[in-house]
Amino acid sequence: MKGLLLRAASSEAVLEMIYLDNKGSISQRRIKVLAVGEESFRAYCSIRKQQRNFLIRNILSVVPARKMRRGA
């Protein structure tokens, strides 16, 4: 998982993440990883429209974001 975060930070890829916060709430977020540390990482969260800190251990799932399709 940490490897995916590091690759996303270097390539500026957008990820989709399911995250469990410290209060036990689960959220789905689209993020752009900015920096990765030993136990946490900093990312821009498109839901909150701001940079946030996340604990790596609280990630339930993370995958590359699907391309959003616009069509008729």
Side-chain angles (χ1 to χ4, degrees):
M1 185 166 324
K2 191 171 181 178
L4 176 60
L5 295 172
L6 289 168
R7 285 190 303 276
S10 65
S11 68
E12 299 185 359
V14 176
L15 301 176
E16 289 185 5
M17 173 177 75
I18 298 175
Y19 188 77
L20 177 68
D21 71 15
N22 290 330
K23 296 177 185 174
S25 298
I26 296 174
S27 62
Q28 183 171 352
R29 300 166 181 260
R30 288 178 67 88
I31 59 169
K32 186 173 184 181
V33 180
L34 304 172
V36 181
E38 286 299 315
E39 297 180 9
S40 65
F41 66 99
R42 187 156 188 80
Y44 177 81
C45 175
S46 62
I47 292 174
R48 301 283 187 222
K49 306 249 187 281
Q50 61 181 309
Q51 291 183 19
R52 309 286 281 203
N53 291 314
F54 299 97
L55 294 172
I56 295 172
R57 69 175 177 260
N58 287 2
I59 297 173
L60 301 177
S61 173
V62 64
V63 295
R66 296 174 295 199
K67 302 284 186 204
M68 297 183 95
R69 291 176 46 189
R70 299 183 194 261

